[in-house]
Amino acid sequence: MSTPIIEASAITKTFPGRRGGQPFHALRNVSSKLFEGEILGLVGESGSGKTTLSRIMIGIETATTGEVSFQGRPVQSRADWKALRRDVQYVFQDPFTALCPTMRIGAALAEPLAIHRLCPASERPERVARMLEMIGLGPEMARRLPAQLSGGQRQRVSLARALMLEPRVLICDEIVSGLDVSVQAQVLALLVELQRKLGLSLIFISHDLRVIRYLCDRVQVMLLGQIVEEGPAAQVFDAPENDYTRALLAAIPDRDRLPVSESA
Ligand SMILES: Nc1ncnc2c1ncn2[C@@H]1O[C@H](COP(=O)(O)OP(=O)(O)OP(=O)(O)O)[C@@H](O)[C@H]1O
Ligand SMILES: [Mg+2]
């Protein structure tokens, strides 16, 4: 089998207890692999450790024990992490906190290019315009502030900001959870289109099984800081082996079992 593009091996994460309380084991021996071009879904109830695992995979959080590898090599030094963070971008759940409220959209999209000195300043407006077009927003959006956009437009902009650096991997943490169903479907369709067009590998975190089923090739189900089931999406959804996965699936009302594209 090919080498995973990014891999977390035997990760544990223990947060110190507050005011002398018991330490909290947020992750217990969790391993995860993302292969080139695939969409991996991380699903599980609130507090199961999805965000913590993904933050460890990009070095925002450090693991208590365990190791992250990128393109087959352990990520250790600051330079290793810096290289990883250019190629692996993170899209947050709430684009309101991800986007600076006083920065116009054009400037927000140009900023990663400036930080990483990817192209001359004179080329930035052109690259911003191309990106706006790619995510289906008009060029006039460049002059707007985040508060002047709808929730769906804001989420497209945070996706665009992550894509400005032409990453190879995108980690999307609950990016459609705050949107209503029809807008969710549009953002997901855009994500699939971009993933194919740009050859991205994707980790998609959600507690919404319908979304995961629609989108993902492979799924890992998390519960209380552990992975309780994993496999190809069709297998996990059609023949779940774990009681918790079954309970999650049973909790979806029947009418909502359709893939998002059909139900929207
Ligand atoms: N900095 C921290 N200090 C202490 N505990 C933390 C910290 N960050 C996360 N936790 C705890 O670790 C557990 C896992 O949190 P995490 O955010 O990874 O869950 P999640 O699966 O992403 O949940 P959600 O679906 O609500 O986003 C939670 O119980 C959380 O309270
Ligand atoms: Mg989370």
Side-chain angles (χ1 to χ4, degrees), residues 5-6 34 57-58 70-71 73 80-90 116 118 162-163 165-171 199-201:
I5 184 160
I6 187 163
L34 177 70
M57 287 171 106
I58 56 165
F70 182 56
Q71 296 176 309
R73 271 178 244 115
D80 292 344
W81 281 111
K82 199 173 164 208
L84 176 142
R85 280 211 217 143
R86 220 192 100 175
D87 280 337
V88 184
Q89 289 291 313
Y90 201 96
H116 288 265
L118 276 196
L163 292 173
L165 295 177
E166 300 177 355
R168 302 187 54 202
V169 177
L170 212 54
I171 300 181
L200 292 167
S201 312

Side-chain angles (χ1 to χ4, degrees), residues 15 18 24 26 45-52 174 207:
F15 290 110
R18 274 196 212 120
F24 180 76
E45 65 189 14
S46 183
S48 56
K50 307 179 295 295
T51 297
T52 305
E174 303 276 8
H207 55 263

Side-chain angles (χ1 to χ4, degrees), residues 181-247:
V181 176
S182 65
V183 182
Q184 270 191 7
Q186 288 167 13
V187 173
L188 292 174
L190 172 70
L191 192 62
V192 171
E193 185 193 323
L194 292 172
Q195 189 255 344
R196 296 207 181 118
K197 199 190 272 180
L198 305 174
L200 292 167
S201 312
L202 227 73
I203 297 181
F204 192 89
I205 300 172
S206 178
H207 55 263
D208 187 337
L209 284 163
R210 290 168 310 152
V211 171
I212 294 274
R213 182 179 197 162
Y214 165 71
L215 206 63
C216 299
D217 304 307
R218 214 156 49 78
V219 181
Q220 292 190 307
V221 182
M222 292 188 70
L223 174 67
L224 300 172
Q226 286 179 306
I227 292 183
V228 293
E229 177 148 9
E230 63 182 296
Q235 180 189 312
V236 170
F237 286 111
D238 296 338
E241 285 178 3
N242 181 272
D243 286 344
Y244 174 67
T245 314
R246 271 191 227 120

